[in-house]
């Protein structure tokens, strides 16, 4: 797998897609590109499933950040995107082969910041 660069994600968007696990979740063109290019369907599944948590699903705007450490573990954090960055969810991930050191994904309609 070739290493993805942040420039690869500057896709823009023309279409919206409905998530397969949680039909209430929509996402934009760049999101399936990210998932397919890097095998990151697990990340989309995680975000879509966590929308069922009342505290997360009720939040109008979400910022999901995945930060990959040198040992290939990671931290996934969701906050409300406000100046206070109220954390809605945080979890450690034992291992990932995600190729970027970090990424931000916006939700409820899941999109990459470059698609805004």
């Amino acid at each position: 797998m070739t290493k993805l660069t942040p420039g690869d994600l500057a896709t823009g968007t023309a279409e919206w897609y409905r998530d397969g696990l949680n039909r209430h979740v929509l996402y934009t063109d760049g999101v399936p590109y990210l998932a397919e290019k890097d095998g990151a369907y697990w990340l989309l599944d995680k975000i879509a499933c966590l929308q069922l948590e009342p505290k997360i699903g009720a939040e109008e705007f979400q910022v999901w950040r995945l930060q990959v450490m040198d040992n290939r573990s990671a931290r996934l954090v969701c906050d409300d995107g406000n100046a206070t960055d109220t954390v809605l969810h945080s979890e450690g991930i034992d291992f990932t082969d995600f190729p970027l050191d970090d990424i931000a994904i916006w939700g409820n309609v899941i999109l990459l910041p470059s698609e805004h």
Side-chain angles (χ1 to χ4, degrees), residues 38-58:
D38 293 312
Y41 288 103
W42 66 270
L43 181 56
L44 300 184
D45 291 347
K46 174 70 76 175
I47 293 170
C49 288
L50 284 168
Q51 297 305 310
L52 300 173
E53 295 287 329
K55 182 179 178 182
I56 296 170

Side-chain angles (χ1 to χ4, degrees), residues 74-101:
R75 171 127 325 258
L76 179 63
V77 176
C78 175
D79 65 55
D80 64 2
N82 292 323
T84 57
D85 290 330
T86 301
V87 173
L88 304 170
H89 179 81
S90 179
E91 71 177 278
I93 297 169
D94 292 335
F95 176 81
T96 182
D97 58 358
F98 191 78
L100 295 176
D101 294 336

Side-chain angles (χ1 to χ4, degrees), residues 19-79:
D19 184 74
L21 290 176
N22 182 345
R23 304 296 291 163
H24 298 286
V25 174
L26 299 173
Y27 50 87
T28 58
D29 290 333
V31 175
Y33 175 83
L34 171 71
E36 186 173 315
K37 175 96 171 148
D38 293 312
Y41 288 103
W42 66 270
L43 181 56
L44 300 184
D45 291 347
K46 174 70 76 175
I47 293 170
C49 288
L50 284 168
Q51 297 305 310
L52 300 173
E53 295 287 329
K55 182 179 178 182
I56 296 170
E59 186 61 44
E60 285 185 35
F61 183 75
Q62 303 163 12
V63 178
W64 293 86
R65 293 180 177 89
L66 179 70
Q67 182 173 10
V68 179
M69 313 306 173
D70 289 339
N71 67 357
R72 306 310 302 162
S73 68
R75 171 127 325 258
L76 179 63
V77 176
C78 175
D79 65 55

